[in-house]
Amino acid sequence: MKIIISHDIDHIIVFEHKKDLIIPKFIIRSFIELGLGYISFSELGLRFRDILKNKWNNIEELMIFNKENNVPATFFIGVNNGRGLSYSLEDSKFWINKIKEKGFKIGVHGIAYDNLDSIKTEFKTFKQISGLDKFGIRMHYLMKNDETVGLLSKAGYAYDSSIYGINNPIKIGNLWEFPLCIMDGNLVYKNSRYQNQTLKQIKDTTKIMLEEAYSKGINYFTILFHDRYFSDSFKTWKNWYIWLIEYLKKNNFEFIGFENAVNELNEVHINENQ
């Protein structure tokens, strides 16, 4: 079983949210999590520090960690706004170029999901900015309907990873669908709007999910960790990701990127249909 690590970029700076309620909601949520005992006073203080510093991303820090651990992660970045994804196209351009320079793969963090023309616009915008011909997508908030994956294939995407579940990839049109097996938020929040799991509980759940996938014969196990949480202001999240990479390496799991996985799957698909 091969491991695919990915990161969704939902925020870049705090001030991009001047016109919505994300900041006050975040502050309220943080105080509730403090009251529940799942974050410390120091974490709360660091969260306010991040607001004052106008920094809501940890892309650079995460790239350094991944590089040190030989993790070929993929970063999904938006080129459109919607549902709380509010950073500018200029910020997208900056980080697309920087992530490419560091040797990591990038894909689209999609907003449009039910209109082919809008989906094609995002595809073309990202292609123009990145200079890439082949790339994939993950929908923001995993937004989709019954037509979404087919529309993504028609737009030209090589792969998608927006369907949650522990299953093997399937080909839909010209696109490979990689189910998202683990998402950080689902572990930390677990059927709640607030953090309600300890680090030990999250580790135990992760081990169970990996064992389930292995027993089901899953070939590619996809994991999402949002870059914003690679920070001491989200201690449980950061410690989980560091532990996860160490655990996977210790147990001899192989890391692979989406593009290489697509190449492997296409080769098998061709051989099976000859």
Side-chain angles (χ1 to χ4, degrees), residues 182 202-212 243 247:
I182 286 183
I202 296 168
K203 288 180 181 179
D204 290 343
T205 301
T206 302
K207 291 176 184 177
I208 290 170
M209 295 177 76
L210 285 166
E211 289 168 2
E212 177 189 347
W243 166 84
Y247 179 82

Side-chain angles (χ1 to χ4, degrees), residues 27-122:
I27 292 171
I28 293 169
R29 182 181 298 112
S30 296
F31 274 108
I32 291 173
E33 291 175 353
L34 176 69
L36 293 172
Y38 286 99
I39 70 169
S40 64
F41 279 103
S42 62
E43 283 177 89
L44 183 68
L46 290 172
R47 292 182 183 188
F48 279 101
R49 177 207 64 182
D50 292 342
I51 292 175
L52 293 174
K53 289 175 64 178
N54 192 27
K55 183 178 187 295
W56 261 14
N57 81 83
N58 295 288
I59 305 168
E60 185 77 47
E61 295 86 344
L62 195 50
M63 287 194 294
I64 291 170
F65 176 81
N66 285 338
K67 183 77 74 174
E68 290 173 347
N69 287 277
N70 298 311
V71 177
T74 298
F75 290 78
F76 291 101
I77 185 164
V79 291
N80 191 10
N81 291 157
R83 288 203 66 182
L85 198 157
S86 303
Y87 47 81
S88 68
L89 200 56
E90 286 303 312
D91 283 341
S92 292
K93 290 178 182 178
F94 173 84
W95 283 108
I96 286 170
N97 290 326
K98 193 156 191 176
I99 292 166
K100 283 181 63 183
E101 287 171 6
K102 297 294 183 180
F104 292 97
K105 300 298 184 181
I106 47 176
V108 176
H109 200 27
I111 295 297
Y113 70 94
D114 59 358
N115 180 279
L116 182 57
D117 288 338
S118 298
I119 291 171
K120 283 183 174 179
T121 296
E122 288 186 12

